[in-house]
Every structure is written in C-alpha cells, then in structure tokens.
Amino acid sequence: MSKFAFSSFSDAMNMDGHGIYVWIVFALFFIALSTSFFIFNLLIKKYKKRIK
Amino acid sequence: MLREILIIVIKKFIHQFASPKTYFYQVNRLYPWLLYISLSIYVFAIIWGLFFTPKDFVQGHSYRIIYFHVPASFIAQSLYAAMAISSAVFLIWRVKLAAYLARSIAPVGAMVTFIALASGSIWGIPTWGTWWEWDARITSTLILFIMYLGLISLHNSFNNFDKADKLFSYLSIIGFVQIPIIKKSVDWWSSLHQPASITISDKPSIDPSMLYPLFMAMIGFAGLVACIVILSSKVQIYIREKNKNWVKDYV
C-alpha cells in the first residue's frame, strides 16, 4: 500500500474540488447496498410471518 | 465406463444441489461467511483506493470514482450473464431452482446497473463536462437497465409462475445478445467513454498501485452482490415453496 495521498483530513474530503463527485458516488453506493440488504431482509421476515 | 460413471455422478450432484431445500440450507451456512469476508475486502479496497493511491495525472482525484463505477458495471453485465445461464438451465433441464435464481437476479441486476449508470454520470461531470451523452456504451447500458426492468414487469404480470418462468427465460436468453454489444461498444463506435483498461489479452493500461485496490473492490463488491442475490433467492423460495413441509418446518 502506498502512503496517504493527502496532506490533511480536509484535503482528503475536498480532493482538489473533486471530493463532491467522489463522496456523492460513495453515498449512492452505501445507500443502494444497505437499502437492498434491508428490503430483502424485510421481505424474508414478511413471508416467514405469512407462512407461520 | 468411466464416462458413464462421471455422467451419473454429475447428474446426482445436479439433482441433489438443484433441490431448493438443499440450496436453501447450503446458502444459509455460506451467507454469514461470504458477507463478512466480502464486506472486509470491500471496505479495505475502498479505503486503499480513496486515500492511499496516487492522484491521476489527467483526471486528478475524480478518477477515484473508478473504485465504485468499474465493479458496478462489471457486475451488472455478469449478473445478466448469470441470469441467462440460469434461464438456459431451467429450459433445458427443467431445474426449477434455476428459474428461481434467474428471477431473483433480475432486481439485483437492475439495482447494480442503476448505480453503474448513476456513478458514470456523476464521473462524467468533471471528466467530460456533461452528465449524459447518447454514446454507445452509456446507451447500451441504459438498454440493459430497461431490459432488467422489463423482465421483472413481465414476470410480475403473470399469475401462473410456470408460464412466467418460461417467458422470462426465453426473453433473458434473447437479451443476452446485449452483453457483447456493451463490451464491444467502445471499440465498434466512436465513443466518449474510454476503452477497457483491463483486458484478458493485453497488459492493463492502469498503474499497479491503482489496479490492485480496483481488483479487490471488484472481488468485495461481487461478494456483497452475491449476498443480496442469496437474500433475493430466499424470498423467491418462500413465495414459491410456501406450501412445502420443509419450508413450514424451517420457519
């Protein structure tokens, strides 16, 4: 692994003005993956309840 | 003689593993391992890619979107291939589990294709100066997204699962023609989208310091998507096998 690519934490967040794009994509992935896990687990619970 | 034994063993294996009950119990055992290992790999790869790889000479830091966009695009197409293979297995050998799997891959494929399109659009703003262009790669990926949605709607429009599975399978196999078109779109047509940086035949055009975390992100993301497909397939099993004794016993 190479060394830390930024000089500070705020520099890492800003990414020379490109941070906004990178962090929006990060948020999109986080939301999409966690929502998928949540929805399918919810559906499993729902159908299990129906079978019971 | 050896060939016959091999065929019997393969048939026995397919017959045993193709049972929804066996599949259900096997994936239940596999799921926690796959989830925690994939999550660890993915988190490690993302931290590595976002903070510990050098800045790109041309694109600056915006290239870091590669660690999200490339795994999503690759998995979106792979999921379609997996869905078409499952559909073929269902139509040829009448394995009902294959039909359940094909149907459970569709919503996950749509979600992954959507995030591939959205992340590509966001990446396009700093790189191309536009979030959308009717270019061959982007348009063919949009068609893939519409195909996933169309297949889901088609399956949901039938009350009879058998008819729905058959039509779904035929159409998903026909739609497979889209996958090589997406892959080759950047070579066949003049496109804003860059050609593939990683190919089987050539040396990757990407520096190893950026490539290793990308490979790890692809593996981790594939594992997480496989976990979502497992959950989706469990939903299908609960819907279709609800009257079976083993499901009632399990619940």
Side-chain angles (χ1 to χ4, degrees), chain B residues 88-225:
Chain B
V89 169
F90 168 66
L91 290 174
I92 297 165
W93 289 294
R94 297 278 159 208
V95 176
K96 60 180 179 176
L97 178 65
Y100 299 177
L101 280 177
R103 175 61 185 84
S104 45
I105 288 170
V108 186
M111 181 273 289
V112 176
T113 312
F114 173 75
I115 55 178
L117 278 169
S119 58
S121 288
I122 295 166
W123 197 1
I125 301 169
T127 314
W128 301 335
T130 178
W131 67 276
W132 189 265
E133 187 66 42
W134 291 101
D135 130 310
R137 173 60 70 88
I138 305 169
T139 310
S140 53
T141 308
L142 178 67
I143 293 170
L144 180 73
F145 177 60
I146 294 167
M147 271 163 45
Y148 273 126
L149 295 185
L151 285 166
I152 296 166
S153 310
L154 174 93
H155 199 280
N156 290 349
S157 64
F158 283 89
N159 287 325
N160 181 336
F161 282 130
D162 202 41
K163 266 188 186 172
D165 286 338
K166 272 184 196 163
L167 205 58
F168 180 97
S169 301
Y170 282 121
L171 286 178
S172 63
I173 291 168
I174 293 167
F176 183 72
V177 75
Q178 179 71 6
I179 301 303
I181 293 174
I182 298 174
K183 268 266 170 282
K184 286 280 167 194
S185 58
V186 282
D187 304 321
W188 290 343
W189 294 286
S190 149
S191 170
L192 255 183
H193 198 285
Q194 67 181 76
S197 308
I198 310 158
T199 56
I200 298 167
S201 51
D202 298 319
K203 207 180 155 204
S205 59
I206 211 175
D207 189 78
S209 63
M210 298 165 172
L211 187 66
Y212 298 144
L214 179 60
F215 272 138
M216 282 187 75
M218 285 167 92
I219 294 166
F221 188 70
L224 288 176
V225 169

Side-chain angles (χ1 to χ4, degrees), chain B residues 10-161:
Chain B
I10 291 170
K11 270 189 179 172
K12 202 175 171 190
F13 175 79
I14 290 175
H15 182 73
Q16 199 183 6
F17 198 71
S19 135
K21 184 184 172 184
T22 315
Y23 167 83
F24 192 89
Y25 281 102
Q26 295 291 345
V27 294
N28 266 353
R29 278 200 300 185
L30 173 79
Y31 180 79
W33 290 97
L34 186 62
L35 178 66
Y36 293 122
I37 292 171
S38 309
L39 192 64
S40 314
I41 293 173
Y42 194 57
V43 168
F44 183 77
I46 293 302
I47 292 172
W48 187 359
L50 288 187
F51 301 115
F52 294 94
T53 54
K55 182 179 172 179
D56 183 67
F57 176 66
V58 181
Q59 296 188 39
H61 288 297
S62 71
Y63 95 92
R64 295 180 198 279
I65 294 175
I66 200 172
Y67 300 108
F68 302 102
H69 177 71
V70 170
S73 305
F74 177 73
I75 300 299
Q77 292 163 45
S78 307
L79 281 176
Y80 197 94
M83 193 171 76
I85 292 167
S86 289
S87 297
V89 169
F90 168 66
L91 290 174
I92 297 165
W93 289 294
R94 297 278 159 208
V95 176
K96 60 180 179 176
L97 178 65
Y100 299 177
L101 280 177
R103 175 61 185 84
S104 45
I105 288 170
V108 186
M111 181 273 289
V112 176
T113 312
F114 173 75
I115 55 178
L117 278 169
S119 58
S121 288
I122 295 166
W123 197 1
I125 301 169
T127 314
W128 301 335
T130 178
W131 67 276
W132 189 265
E133 187 66 42
W134 291 101
D135 130 310
R137 173 60 70 88
I138 305 169
T139 310
S140 53
T141 308
L142 178 67
I143 293 170
L144 180 73
F145 177 60
I146 294 167
M147 271 163 45
Y148 273 126
L149 295 185
L151 285 166
I152 296 166
S153 310
L154 174 93
H155 199 280
N156 290 349
S157 64
F158 283 89
N159 287 325
N160 181 336
F161 282 130

